[in-house]
Every structure is written in structure tokens, then in C-alpha cells.
Amino acid sequence: MKFSDLKTISFVNFYKWDGGLPFLLPFIGYILFGLANIYFFSTAIKQIPTATAFAVWTATTLIFIKAAELAFYHQRISWMEVLFMTMIMVGILGLKIYAVQVK
């Protein structure tokens, strides 16, 4: 969304390929994925502890953002970034495996 150019959109061209659709389609996707995110997160916290669900959600978001940077913006990734993302995933597994089970 930060690369969107709102100045090119007007009422006359918002539905054209060279007008507003390059902005509107990602924006609609952003809204739909945001709503799906809220739904799935609320479903997850009904079944697992909130802290674990939030940790998984945050780590998954981090990994998807990094994958999008690699795919769309051709950014590089360092071994240290991979190491720290792996450490986050190990921490999440530790939360899941060793969490105190309340009955």
C-alpha cells in the first residue's frame, strides 16, 4: 500500500486498467485478507492459548512479508535474518510443546 499513487485516481478512471485498478485491486485484497485474518485468529484463540496464537500469527506474518519482499521487490536476505526467523519458530514450538495445559 505504501507504493500506491492516489493522485492518479479520479471518478472517471477508477475502473480502468491504467487508472485506478492498479490501486483498487490491491486495496480490496488488503481488506479481504484483513477480514480473513481477524476471522481465523479469533477461531484460533478459541482452541489454543492466546499467547501461542499471537506468537504464531506474528511469526507467520513476518515470514510472509519477507517472502513478499523477496518475490516482488527482489530484496536480499541474510543468513542472520534466516537464523532469527528460525529462532522465532523454535520459540513458538517451545510455547506449544511446553505450555501448561489448563483443564
Side-chain angles (χ1 to χ4, degrees), residues 6 13 19 23-25 29 34 43 47 51 71-72 78 89-90 92-93:
L6 292 174
N13 72 349
F23 170 76
L24 288 177
L25 292 178
T43 303
Q47 299 176 3
F72 299 119
S78 70
M89 298 309 284
V90 168
I92 291 170
L93 287 172

Side-chain angles (χ1 to χ4, degrees), residues 1 16 33 46 62 68 72-73 87 89 97:
M1 295 305 300
K16 296 180 182 175
F33 280 111
K46 291 177 185 175
L62 170 73
F72 299 119
Y73 301 116
M87 289 172 60
M89 298 309 284
I97 293 170

Side-chain angles (χ1 to χ4, degrees), residues 6-28:
L6 292 174
K7 296 175 186 171
T8 61
I9 299 174
S10 67
F11 184 73
V12 179
N13 72 349
F14 76 94
Y15 59 89
K16 296 180 182 175
W17 282 110
D18 59 348
L21 281 182
F23 170 76
L24 288 177
L25 292 178
F27 182 70
I28 291 169

Side-chain angles (χ1 to χ4, degrees), residues 42-57:
S42 65
T43 303
I45 62 174
K46 291 177 185 175
Q47 299 176 3
I48 60 176
T50 305
T52 304
F54 186 71
V56 170
W57 175 66

